[in-house]
Amino acid sequence: MRTRRHPGPNAAIAAVATVAALTLAACTGPSGLDDLGREAPPTAEATDAPVTPAPPAPATCDDATTSYDPLPQLPDPGTFASGSTMQQIQDRGTLVAGISADTLLMSSRNPLTGEIEGFDIDVLRDLSTAIFGEPDRVQFRVITSGERVGVLEGSEVDVVARTFSMTCQRWESIAFSAEYYGAGQKVLVSAESDAESLEDLAGQRVCAPEGTTTLQRLEDYDVEAVPARTHTACLVLFQRSQVEAITGDDTILAGFAAQDPYAKVVGEAISAEPYGLGFPAASVDLVQLANTVLAQRVADGRWQASYDRWLSVLGTETTPPTPVYGRAS
């Protein structure tokens, strides 16, 4: 085995962060099944389950990013119609949200404060403010990526914010907000590397989670594909110099780059991964409220401020995705 290329005072910090990530991943890490369009059955214990009416007929889907129209204006907290999803959430006292606790920068636990924080969490706190007038009325439930659809189908949570790509297959059983972040598959390499894309890594070892389309896409490139159980396992191989690169969603790679000052994310995205908030299919009124909140976040600069705080490692030249509305309920 070759020796790691960049010893130094920051290495210990990076190692601690990696161990913490591995510990969390052991409990909540992604399975990769979602990348194949499969969904594992929910295994975590349910908390306070929201009351949700029976779902409507499956929505048609010509464009997975098309969501329901936003509300004409945002109602004041506490003024929601009787029987609405928002009124039921208010009566319960908290917004129940399915999240990750180990996706650094998007949704992870701060080891110093114990608080869950990140780009996804900022969105949820704004949704809480719209419902309750307070940002902290969110009950977080840590789920794996493979559990995202199942907890929504069972109405075990009100919303899922967990690097959730919108697909027509998922629209058959759940609902999505408008796209709030456009992710894509990119590459993470050593800061010392001259590579700017997968094409520049010809003959070199590139890691991706096994059983995923991320790994399958490597078949189109002249690289040695190295499968690992999770992205975090890939990071371990990378830090041991057992692979030269990792590929995956840029949001996940950005978290790795933040842990390891000797790594960087490069190149243009080779896939489109539109992130939306997930909802039970029957919660159309809550989706419309969320779309109003998402539009306001863009208009008043909160989207950009959140991006600058959490994801600027991916580059400073970015714009929020343009929402697509008009889905029939």
Side-chain angles (χ1 to χ4, degrees), residues 143-218:
I143 59 173
T144 68
S145 57
E147 292 174 329
R148 293 175 297 189
V149 170
V151 297
L152 291 171
E153 289 177 326
S155 296
E156 299 172 33
V157 300
D158 298 307
V159 57
V160 166
R162 197 189 190 288
T163 57
F164 205 2
S165 295
M166 308 165 73
T167 69
C168 285
Q169 182 181 10
R170 289 170 176 161
W171 267 108
E172 292 177 0
S173 59
I174 65 169
F176 281 106
S177 71
E179 180 183 2
Y180 68 93
Y181 184 78
Q185 183 177 344
K186 289 189 175 182
V187 182
L188 179 139
V189 297
S190 165
E192 304 163 349
S193 174
D194 295 326
E196 293 292 338
S197 66
L198 279 170
E199 288 83 355
D200 296 333
L201 293 167
Q204 299 187 50
R205 299 163 296 184
V206 180
C207 186
E210 57 192 8
T212 65
T213 52
T214 302
L215 182 64
Q216 292 173 354
R217 290 193 185 102
L218 293 182

Side-chain angles (χ1 to χ4, degrees), residues 19-196:
V19 169
L22 280 169
T23 302
L24 287 166
C27 298
T28 63
S31 67
L33 291 175
D34 55 315
D35 286 328
L36 294 178
R38 306 170 189 165
E39 300 295 342
T43 56
E45 292 185 1
T47 55
D48 295 335
V51 177
T52 305
T60 58
C61 185
D62 297 324
D63 178 356
T65 65
T66 302
S67 185
Y68 302 112
D69 291 341
L71 301 174
Q73 62 182 20
L74 196 64
D76 291 332
T79 62
F80 301 111
S82 176
S84 66
T85 305
M86 290 77 76
Q87 181 62 57
Q88 293 171 12
I89 294 170
Q90 275 204 321
D91 290 346
R92 188 190 325 124
T94 57
L95 175 72
V96 182
I99 61 160
S100 166
D102 65 345
T103 305
L104 195 63
L105 304 182
M106 293 298 288
S107 177
S108 65
R109 190 179 304 279
N110 185 318
L112 299 179
T113 66
E115 297 292 326
I116 302 288
E117 60 185 22
F119 189 83
D120 275 346
I121 302 304
D122 286 351
V123 177
L124 292 174
R125 294 197 187 285
D126 283 345
L127 187 57
S128 171
T129 299
I131 296 173
F132 296 102
E134 303 172 38
D136 300 324
R137 299 284 286 272
V138 186
Q139 179 182 345
F140 295 123
R141 176 178 170 185
V142 178
I143 59 173
T144 68
S145 57
E147 292 174 329
R148 293 175 297 189
V149 170
V151 297
L152 291 171
E153 289 177 326
S155 296
E156 299 172 33
V157 300
D158 298 307
V159 57
V160 166
R162 197 189 190 288
T163 57
F164 205 2
S165 295
M166 308 165 73
T167 69
C168 285
Q169 182 181 10
R170 289 170 176 161
W171 267 108
E172 292 177 0
S173 59
I174 65 169
F176 281 106
S177 71
E179 180 183 2
Y180 68 93
Y181 184 78
Q185 183 177 344
K186 289 189 175 182
V187 182
L188 179 139
V189 297
S190 165
E192 304 163 349
S193 174
D194 295 326
E196 293 292 338

